[in-house]
Amino acid sequence: AQESVPEGFVIETVATGLSEPIALAFTPDGELLIGQRGGTIRVVVDDALLPEPFAELEVLTLGEGGLLGLAVANDFATNRFVYAFATVSDDEQQIIRLRDADGVGVERTVIRGGLPTTGSVHNGGGLRMGPDGMLYFAIGDTGDPELSQQMHTFAGKVCRITPDGEVPTDNPFTTPTGAPRAVYALGFRNPFRFCFDPAGRLFVGDVGSSGDTRREEINDVMAGGNYGWPLVEGFGDPTTDPALRDPLIAYVEEGSSIAGCTAYHAVS
């Protein structure tokens, strides 16, 4: 980890004793939820890790699987909803809605099941509530690059659903019968993390491949966009396929994959 930070920033330890902390989400009142890959969600309040977990999920931790993403509802103050993205078997991932039911346990509702995985590779796992009140999630190509360009699967896609798991009518793609699809953008290899800026701009980090052509990407994602994988990685030739969108940033020299994303606006 880089120990030097820009002027005005500091590195602080807020919790210790965790096991594979992989996902973070803040509630509006400042509590920090930490998802551990093994399925336990811990809570930090006032820089203290609470002894009791918020929830414990049964997940498959084979390879890259497990509890991979957390999101907090925009209206958390009224409904207390927390969302988790989890690998639950070698052929299924789920989005699970959790709610602390006033001291009688955590209610659990699977709002999206059957999400693709091979259990161990390119599971994706990005999960966030957008400023528009919709729930966004991302899934990798599950080890089969060709799926990223195929619309019959969520593999290699960023998707957009309602907080109840339904498909918004204003999503950019439709089925052959005209019904809206959950797919929001396509052409990703392994979109493990993404974030929104305050204006609603969506930045997606796509983990690169290996070899001489590998590129790590940060994509400025728009509705209906095709970000190229596996047709192109990094910056492509616009004369060969002008419909494909280039990343905002692509790099290889640093050698580190995209593992987190935060949009920061300096305050003058």
Side-chain angles (χ1 to χ4, degrees), residues 91-104:
D91 62 1
E92 183 181 12
Q93 302 193 102
Q94 296 177 346
I95 296 177
I96 305 164
R97 187 175 66 197
L98 308 167
R99 186 176 78 89
D100 187 354
D102 298 325
V104 298

Side-chain angles (χ1 to χ4, degrees), residues 117-149:
T117 181
T118 57
S120 63
V121 64
H122 298 182
N123 296 41
L127 184 67
R128 280 287 178 263
M129 292 292 297
D132 58 359
M134 297 295 124
L135 187 63
Y136 292 72
F137 65 91
I139 299 177
D141 65 13
T142 69
D144 185 349
E146 301 304 319
L147 295 180
S148 295
Q149 295 293 325

Side-chain angles (χ1 to χ4, degrees), residues 176-196:
T177 61
R181 293 184 185 269
V183 175
Y184 185 77
L186 69 152
F188 301 97
R189 181 176 181 271
N190 191 22
F192 176 61
R193 287 293 176 260
F194 61 80
C195 61
F196 290 92

Side-chain angles (χ1 to χ4, degrees), residues 158-211:
V158 171
C159 299
R160 176 177 181 260
I161 58 177
T162 71
D164 295 323
E166 303 299 323
V167 180
T169 57
D170 60 346
N171 271 8
F173 299 105
T174 58
T175 67
T177 61
R181 293 184 185 269
V183 175
Y184 185 77
L186 69 152
F188 301 97
R189 181 176 181 271
N190 191 22
F192 176 61
R193 287 293 176 260
F194 61 80
C195 61
F196 290 92
D197 77 357
R201 197 173 174 188
L202 174 57
F203 298 98
V204 175
D206 199 10
V207 178
S209 63
S210 58

Side-chain angles (χ1 to χ4, degrees), residues 24-170:
L24 305 174
F26 281 95
T27 67
D29 52 5
E31 294 184 358
L32 173 61
L33 301 177
I34 303 175
Q36 299 182 148
R37 195 168 73 95
T40 301
I41 302 173
R42 304 294 301 273
V43 184
V44 175
V45 179
D46 297 329
D47 292 341
L49 183 67
L50 300 186
E52 294 298 321
F54 172 76
E56 295 184 272
L57 306 177
E58 293 186 7
V59 300
L60 178 72
T61 57
L62 177 69
E64 300 171 6
L67 172 59
L68 301 178
L70 285 179
V72 172
N74 291 353
D75 50 355
F76 175 83
T78 57
N79 60 31
R80 311 295 292 180
F81 286 157
V82 174
Y83 298 85
F85 183 109
T87 312
V88 297
S89 73
D90 60 6
D91 62 1
E92 183 181 12
Q93 302 193 102
Q94 296 177 346
I95 296 177
I96 305 164
R97 187 175 66 197
L98 308 167
R99 186 176 78 89
D100 187 354
D102 298 325
V104 298
V106 174
E107 296 176 349
R108 309 175 187 206
T109 304
V110 177
I111 64 168
R112 273 278 165 171
L115 301 179
T117 181
T118 57
S120 63
V121 64
H122 298 182
N123 296 41
L127 184 67
R128 280 287 178 263
M129 292 292 297
D132 58 359
M134 297 295 124
L135 187 63
Y136 292 72
F137 65 91
I139 299 177
D141 65 13
T142 69
D144 185 349
E146 301 304 319
L147 295 180
S148 295
Q149 295 293 325
Q150 298 175 12
M151 293 300 292
H152 72 278
T153 174
F154 292 153
K157 313 295 192 301
V158 171
C159 299
R160 176 177 181 260
I161 58 177
T162 71
D164 295 323
E166 303 299 323
V167 180
T169 57
D170 60 346

